[in-house]
Amino acid sequence: MGEKNPARTGQKMRVLAVLCSGSGTNLQAIINAIRAKELSARIAVVISDNPAAFALRRAADAGIATVVVDQKLFPTRAEADTEIARHLARYAVELVVLAGYMRILTSALVRQYRNRIINIHPALLPAFKGSHAVRDALRAKVSVTGVTVHVVTEELDSGPIIMQREVAVYDGDTEETLLARIHTVEHVLYPEVIRLFTEGKIQIDNEKVHIVNNR
Ligand code: GRF
């Protein structure tokens, strides 16, 4: 209803913030895709809740601005997320990319950036939600798991699915070997989905993702 949400109109989103808590191999894959000109985007800022995240080093090495919003230093989650929102506005961020960000965003932030926050999850959602997706898939003895990129909503790991890829589970897989195979897929899939946003090919309407004109 006259909503000016860029994700609804399929506006091109090229200015990214990447939020990470850990190693940042997905961040690295995005940096590499931009360098290789496979992705016409700019990472304006990398934000982490964890001052020791290796992702911050990767960002600094690539000349990207970094910000730490350490939730321990804020009285409430709401105040920490307000700080994040301040940085997103300051860098005129168009698309917020969660890449191993281990905090749940507050509803206020999700609403403010509705349909403009995406996440990558190491399973085929809606299976194996939560932070132990790889272990849970192994325990469930599935023969196929995978990777999901989805829109972030207020409910954890439940937003509209943008794209999924399967990953086979082999006999004798450990969490480590399976995660390594999942990572390889993530590093291709996430830049691919971000490319669609930069080209304005993603439209989200009524909680459903439409991919238009994808070559
Ligand atoms: C990825 O496996 C992603 O699916 C999950 O967190 C992990 C982040 O890994 N949400 P990295 O920090 O990008 O290496």
Side-chain angles (χ1 to χ4, degrees), residues 39-118:
L39 199 51
S40 170
R42 182 168 64 85
I43 304 175
V45 63
V46 168
I47 302 176
S48 182
D49 58 313
N50 171 13
F54 189 66
L56 291 168
R57 209 11 223 289
R58 296 181 192 272
D61 285 351
I64 299 167
T66 59
V67 167
V68 175
V69 180
D70 185 346
Q71 312 243 343
K72 288 195 292 292
L73 305 179
F74 292 82
T76 62
R77 278 175 61 217
E79 278 158 282
D81 276 11
T82 301
E83 177 72 1
I84 290 176
R86 204 172 63 75
H87 290 291
L88 297 178
R90 173 170 162 228
Y91 286 97
V93 168
E94 295 168 328
L95 182 68
V96 180
V97 177
L98 306 188
Y101 187 65
M102 300 309 284
R103 301 267 165 188
I104 297 171
L105 300 179
T106 53
S107 310
L109 186 56
V110 171
R111 278 200 302 267
Q112 197 179 343
Y113 281 84
R114 196 163 92 84
N115 290 340
R116 290 183 289 160
I117 309 176
I118 59 175

Side-chain angles (χ1 to χ4, degrees), residues 119-136:
N119 183 44
I120 189 157
H121 183 80
L124 292 176
L125 291 172
F128 310 121
K129 294 178 182 179
S131 55
H132 302 294
V134 178
R135 188 194 307 170
D136 292 346

Side-chain angles (χ1 to χ4, degrees), residues 14 18 45 65 101 132 134 141 152 163 181 209:
R14 292 198 164 129
V18 184
V45 63
Y101 187 65
H132 302 294
V134 178
K141 302 195 185 338
V152 171
M163 229 183 243
R181 213 172 311 115
V209 174

Side-chain angles (χ1 to χ4, degrees), residues 175-208:
E175 240 184 276
E176 211 173 27
T177 57
L178 180 54
L179 183 62
R181 213 172 311 115
I182 286 175
H183 263 146
T184 309
V185 172
E186 289 186 338
H187 297 162
V188 176
L189 186 64
Y190 221 4
E192 192 179 328
V193 170
I194 295 167
R195 181 178 59 79
L196 294 173
F197 275 97
T198 64
E199 293 174 348
K201 289 182 177 163
I202 305 251
Q203 291 182 4
I204 305 156
D205 209 358
N206 282 332
E207 302 277 294
K208 172 94 184 92

